[in-house]
Amino acid sequence: AQSVTQPDIHITVSEGASLELRCNYSYGATPYLFWYVQSPGQGLQLLLKYFSGDTLVQGIKGFEAEFKRSQSSFNLRKPSVHWSDAAEYFCAVGAKGGSEKLVFGKGTKLTVNP
Amino acid sequence: DTEVTQTPKHLVMGMTNKKSLKCEQHMGHRAMYWYKQKAKKPPELMFVYSYEKLSINESVPSRFSPECPNSSLLNLHLHALQPEDSALYLCASSQGGGGTAANEQFFGPGTRLTVL
């Protein structure tokens, strides 16, 4: 079964600074990989996803993520954080050839200081 | 319309009550999901309907009863809940169904449930 680890529970950055959120997965092959964002009191919104091909994936709101097979990682990055990026970020994996089920990491809460 | 709507936004119920949560989407999606999310935790999958048929039940207690009356609607019937069932209940939908995790899931804003 697939699993996902987000090592950082809480990250604080200053507005305008760069951001990297870490995600490591465990799965026998390359799974489907996703990053979702959840603002307080809201549902989740997909930022980007990786299935295959180019290992650098562009998403919405200026986010990108890089898939590294050798490290079983799918880290999320943004070059310049805005105050509105403060939210909870979830990495999720889905099994190829499996069901509709996604397994979510425990999340990283991002705080942005002015 | 790329929206998943959920009603009610908030619900307070006693342990002997019967209530229902409702979810609706008009994106033509054929897979619909119920998740439970406790505070400061990730969403946990409860049920998946694919083409209006229950395809995944993650060993959820029978006091939660899902229903998919048609391709646009998903209900979650609640009966004899426990205080530990208090959580945010999220509905999601995705295109196609068909047993794949590849499709983007669109989430509703959730129903905040409190069980007294």
Side-chain angles (χ1 to χ4, degrees), chain A residues 9-113:
Chain A
I9 296 173
H10 190 183
I11 284 182
T12 299
V13 300
S14 298
E15 191 168 16
S18 63
L19 172 70
E20 183 170 30
L21 303 182
R22 296 183 290 165
C23 172
N24 293 97
Y25 68 90
S26 175
Y27 185 59
T30 300
Y32 299 126
L33 293 160
F34 306 83
W35 274 101
Y36 281 85
V37 62
Q38 185 178 31
S39 297
Q42 299 295 315
L44 282 71
Q45 181 183 24
L46 181 69
L47 288 175
L48 45 78
K49 59 187 178 184
Y50 176 78
F51 292 170
S52 63
D54 192 345
T55 56
L56 187 61
V57 180
Q58 300 299 319
I60 62 171
K61 303 184 180 188
F63 286 93
E64 66 179 26
E66 185 172 13
F67 170 68
K68 292 186 177 179
R69 184 191 308 273
S70 61
Q71 298 177 20
S72 297
S73 68
F74 188 56
N75 294 347
L76 182 71
R77 300 195 295 245
K78 186 170 186 178
S80 178
V81 170
H82 188 262
W83 63 266
S84 59
D85 293 323
E88 190 87 24
Y89 290 80
F90 294 99
C91 182
V93 299
K96 287 185 178 176
S99 69
E100 298 95 338
K101 182 176 180 177
L102 288 182
V103 175
F104 287 85
K106 293 187 175 183
T108 298
K109 182 178 179 180
L110 175 65
T111 298
V112 180
N113 287 334

